[in-house]
Amino acid sequence: MSSASSVAARNARGVLTEGRSPEELREIVSHWGAELELAPAEVIIEWAAATFGERFCVTSSMGDGLLAHLVSKVVPGVDVLFLDTGYHFVETIGTRDAVAATLDVNLISITPVQSVAEQDATYGKDLYRTDPDLCCKLRKVEPLSRMLGGYDAWATGLRRAETRNRVIAPVIGWDAKKGKVKVSPLARWSDEQVERYTAENGILVNPLAYDGYPSIGCEPCTRRVAPGEDPRSGRWAGLNKTECGIHT
């Protein structure tokens, strides 16, 4: 398992090819977005790998290993980035370690600048309660943005079926905040497609998914979801918040 610091050092030594300019990346999205909208997930991944090479990575919150499995079949050894916020369930860390051990991927754990204790000392204890948006920014959004500096495109597991807020998630999109191409090969997948692929390929699934947690985030900010509830209603329950900021 690689660390963020080792990858940053590798990038600094110039092992990775030079990235494209934002103008070039936006042009790629403009040209290929509609072209690939209805393409199978494997074709989308093949295109991303051919287009961006070693400057293409995958991000995963380790709700399961589906996206990592799918991409690793097309791009063996692909970089898979995981945000280790310091607040994860032990089951999520276990899923991360199992993915790293069983799939042909280069698992990279990204950590925030401050530890949880250092953040508490700076902002007060339990920032996730007093200012959840700032907590997500410090422990998720900023670390990922820094890490993506070595890449031109990143694949996410976003699916339109997950929540109303993601209905318009494009298969190939432009993330203006990060200046990166955002690839969502599973965007059009239904829950049934996910279940079928998982069963047919023996995909690793976070044990919490079978214990009432259809959407898994940091432990302090995630609760069980009752049958029939929106799958993401357990995230930041009681707050006017549905996303951490990575996808907004």
Side-chain angles (χ1 to χ4, degrees):
M1 185 188 304
S2 298
S3 67
S5 59
S6 67
V7 174
R10 175 165 61 92
N11 294 352
R13 291 197 299 270
V15 176
L16 293 179
T17 56
E18 184 177 352
R20 294 180 172 94
S21 69
E23 292 74 22
E24 291 174 306
L25 294 176
R26 283 197 297 268
E27 179 61 28
I28 289 173
V29 172
S30 176
H31 179 77
W32 287 100
E35 184 81 15
L36 292 168
E37 173 61 28
L38 300 179
E42 291 84 354
V43 171
I44 295 166
I45 294 165
E46 288 173 355
W47 168 83
T51 302
F52 303 107
E54 59 194 355
R55 295 188 67 86
F56 170 66
C57 67
V58 177
T59 58
S60 176
S61 60
M62 295 301 163
D64 58 51
L66 193 157
L67 182 61
H69 179 276
L70 188 66
V71 178
S72 69
K73 292 196 304 179
V74 180
V75 193
V78 65
D79 287 353
V80 175
L81 313 185
F82 171 74
L83 287 165
D84 190 348
T85 65
Y87 283 120
H88 282 301
F89 290 92
V90 294
E91 291 88 347
T92 300
I93 298 301
T95 302
R96 176 202 65 183
D97 294 346
V99 165
T102 61
L103 298 182
D104 189 359
V105 300
N106 178 37
L107 200 295
I108 302 169
S109 284
I110 309 168
T111 55
V113 171
Q114 291 185 312
S115 67
V116 170
E118 290 169 338
Q119 179 173 288
D120 284 349
T122 302
Y123 298 96
K125 185 173 174 56
D126 298 342
L127 185 62
Y128 57 83
R129 295 185 190 278
T130 59
D131 193 339
D133 287 338
L134 178 58
C135 190
C136 285
K137 178 182 178 181
L138 295 173
R139 310 206 73 75
K140 292 184 177 182
V141 178
E142 290 183 352
L144 179 60
S145 294
R146 286 194 299 270
M147 191 63 193
L148 286 176
Y151 304 93
D152 285 342
W154 56 304
T156 80
L158 287 178
R159 294 190 301 114
R160 295 167 186 166
E162 290 178 312
T163 173
R164 291 185 298 273
N165 294 336
R166 293 177 176 177
V167 170
I168 59 171
V171 169
I172 308 295
W174 172 247
D175 190 324
K177 289 184 178 179
K178 298 179 181 65
K180 307 294 175 184
V181 177
K182 186 189 228 179
V183 182
S184 300
L186 306 180
R188 294 184 297 106
W189 279 34
S190 65
D191 293 342
E192 291 72 23
Q193 283 177 287
V194 170
E195 291 170 2
R196 184 167 60 249
Y197 187 93
T198 298
E200 291 176 353
N201 294 278
I203 298 300
L204 287 162
V205 177
N206 190 317
L208 293 172
Y210 303 117
D211 190 28
Y213 294 89
S215 181
I216 305 164
C218 292
E219 183 173 9
C221 304
T222 308
R223 66 163 177 83
R224 286 184 176 86
V225 173
E229 284 188 298
D230 185 308
R232 287 185 64 83
S233 63
R235 304 287 295 276
W236 305 287
L239 299 173
N240 185 26
K241 181 176 173 67
T242 59
E243 296 283 350
C244 66
I246 288 176
H247 301 295
T248 56

